[in-house]
Amino acid sequence: MKTEETVLEIDLTALERNIQYLKSRLKPTTWFLAVVKASSYGNEATQIAAYIEKKKLANYFAVAYTSEGIALRKRGISLPIIVLHPQSINFDDIIKYQLEPTLYSLRTAHLFLEYAEKHQLSDYPVHLKCNTGLNRLGFDFNQIDEVLSLLKNNGTVKVKTAYSHLAASEDMNEKVFTENQIQRFIAFQEKINQTFAHKVIYHQCNTSGILNYPEAQFDMVRSGIGMYGFANDAALQPYLTPIMSLKSVISQIHCLEIGDSLGYNRGYIADHITKTATIPVGHADGINRIYGKGKGFIFIHGKKAPILGNVCMDMIMVDITHIDCEEGDEVIVFDKEHTAETLAESAGTISYELMTSMAHRIKRLYIEG
């Protein structure tokens, strides 16, 4: 069907295939955690999570913030949900919506245990974040004994999983660093296993970890970008399909004479007769100003049309001098063939940033089958 406005098409069947491929790289007993933070990387988390749960593709979900977990619960999502970066002000809502907080620092551990004791919780599931080298969140190895002494024999909480995060699993030039991270995490596991009688679930691999470090599967893996169709590895990319396609239309066509300017701050001055098309998508939609002045591009009838001048809030203007097209014709900002990764790289950024920038005002169309 021809696109008549700016829309984000999301291919749920491709999502399922991507997850099945990632799971094919795992042992049958390894659990799969679906990362649906940041609106499922721009795809809208409640829709994505509902589909994953319906198809029984995951054992766990993860979100960054408590508010994201609440949205899933309100949609009826019943699988367990880890909150990766909770704050103490969120504890009431975490309990109310049966979310599972990460304890990542001595402060958060003390605060949640105080909360748990005050509210007489019993075996409430929590998760331990172990810092093995990313140095963002997590307990350092020299802190883990203190943390475990707090948690041991504390009936208010129960450590469900312990996890860490690989810093450069997609970069094989950092193989030694990544292998050291894996060994550090194993050292954390040994300490934790000595503390608790129950089985703690361990997970460290992200998408690139799944693909490049199968020995580090442990009990569960986490995938975000891979589910949405990106392998972070050109050799493996053919096995995954980007699920997101941003499409729009040509609103108006102009012809610039030599010396005419285009857009805000006269960002483009024509040095030849230039035919331009105005497209209703701009930096308020996630096509940021970094894509302006020829860095970024779209596709019209399969031909590349560079962005001219500065990206506007609601519009971009592109060069169609050598493209046979008309007002109302469909344009592709990115899709399965001309991917978000390609567009992002043109401006020196990454697909993650472009995808998660997609504004909520863009209509999402979910395609299945």
Side-chain angles (χ1 to χ4, degrees):
M1 191 173 87
K2 179 182 175 183
T3 298
E4 297 182 349
E5 61 181 332
T6 302
V7 297
L8 199 61
E9 291 184 358
I10 296 161
D11 187 340
L12 295 174
T13 303
L15 171 71
E16 182 174 3
R17 286 198 306 267
N18 292 338
I19 294 174
Q20 295 290 18
Y21 171 71
L22 292 166
K23 292 175 76 171
S24 77
R25 304 288 295 247
L26 305 176
K27 296 176 292 188
T29 55
T30 303
W31 283 11
F32 187 88
L33 181 152
V35 180
V36 293
K37 65 180 181 176
S39 196
S40 276
Y41 290 45
N43 291 283
E44 211 296 295
T46 60
Q47 291 277 359
I48 296 297
Y51 183 81
I52 290 172
E53 184 164 283
K54 179 182 75 171
K55 293 288 187 174
K56 298 180 180 178
L57 296 170
N59 305 91
Y60 248 98
F61 288 117
V63 295
Y65 301 150
T66 302
S67 58
E68 297 174 313
I70 292 171
L72 296 186
R73 288 290 187 242
K74 287 183 174 180
R75 175 60 191 266
I77 302 302
S78 60
L79 279 176
I81 301 169
I82 299 178
V83 181
L84 301 172
H85 198 174
Q87 303 298 326
S88 58
I89 196 172
N90 306 138
F91 290 166
D92 283 338
D93 282 336
I94 284 173
I95 304 306
K96 178 180 177 180
Y97 290 97
Q98 295 182 296
L99 307 175
E100 301 181 7
T102 294
L103 307 183
Y104 53 84
S105 68
L106 288 170
R107 174 177 174 271
T108 57
H110 280 289
L111 287 172
F112 192 76
L113 287 175
E114 289 171 7
Y115 181 93
E117 290 167 4
K118 179 180 177 181
H119 291 82
Q120 299 182 320
L121 302 182
S122 177
D123 283 347
Y124 197 86
V126 298
H127 305 263
L128 300 183
K129 179 68 178 290
C130 304
N131 179 27
T132 58
L134 185 59
N135 292 316
R136 189 173 63 180
L137 288 179
F139 299 107
D140 293 332
F141 190 72
N142 61 13
Q143 296 175 313
I144 196 63
D145 284 334
E146 182 176 353
V147 177
L148 294 176
S149 68
L150 289 173
L151 298 170
K152 186 176 183 180
N153 300 322
N154 189 315
T156 63
V157 300
K158 184 175 184 178
V159 176
K160 189 81 172 288
T161 84
Y163 68 99
S164 189
H165 196 62
L166 297 174
S169 55
E170 75 282 3
D171 185 353
M172 298 314 289
N173 292 321
E174 295 290 356
K175 192 170 190 292
V176 172
F177 182 87
T178 301
E179 289 174 341
N180 284 337
Q181 277 198 277
I182 294 167
Q183 291 305 311
R184 289 190 197 107
F185 187 48
I186 290 171
F188 273 100
Q189 293 180 36
E190 291 170 352
K191 291 270 191 181
I192 295 166
N193 286 337
Q194 291 167 9
T195 303
F196 303 114
H198 70 275
K199 167 63 180 170
V200 175
I201 297 166
Y202 296 108
H203 48 115
Q204 186 175 33
C205 281
N206 52 7
T207 293
S208 295
I210 294 169
L211 299 174
N212 294 329
Y213 296 92
E215 71 275 15
Q217 286 179 32
F218 301 120
D219 303 301
M220 183 163 70
V221 297
R222 306 184 303 271
S223 180
I225 197 70
M227 294 198 309
Y228 308 117
F230 294 91
N232 292 331
D233 185 331
L236 294 170
Q237 187 56 50
Y239 297 99
L240 298 174
T241 302
I243 73 169
M244 179 189 284
S245 297
L246 180 60
K247 301 180 179 181
S248 193
V249 296
I250 297 175
S251 294
Q252 191 172 8
I253 291 174
H254 291 278
C255 189
L256 306 183
E257 301 293 332
I258 295 172
D260 285 349
S261 63
L262 177 73
Y264 287 123
N265 305 112
R266 306 185 72 206
Y268 174 76
I269 307 293
D271 59 3
H272 60 280
I273 294 175
T274 307
K275 192 177 177 183
T276 71
T278 300
I279 316 299
V281 61
H283 60 71
D285 301 296
I287 307 303
N288 299 326
R289 283 171 62 91
I290 59 172
Y291 296 101
K293 298 186 177 180
K295 286 186 178 180
F297 45 81
I298 65 171
F299 289 86
I300 303 173
H301 302 322
K303 296 183 178 179
K304 184 183 288 189
I307 297 173
L308 297 176
N310 291 310
V311 173
C312 306
M313 183 178 291
D314 312 298
M315 288 168 272
I316 55 173
M317 289 76 76
V318 300
D319 188 349
I320 58 167
T321 305
H322 303 294
I323 301 175
D324 183 15
C325 56
E326 299 177 354
E327 293 177 358
D329 283 0
E330 181 179 88
V331 307
I332 303 297
V333 183
F334 55 79
D335 63 3
K336 294 175 175 65
E337 181 180 358
H338 310 293
T339 70
E341 185 171 38
T342 304
L343 177 56
E345 287 176 350
S346 73
T349 186
I350 57 176
S351 58
Y352 301 69
E353 182 178 60
L354 176 57
M355 293 166 61
T356 58
S357 295
M358 294 294 99
H360 291 291
R361 73 176 183 177
I362 300 175
K363 179 188 291 186
R364 272 115 169 118
L365 299 177
Y366 295 90
I367 300 167
E368 184 177 355

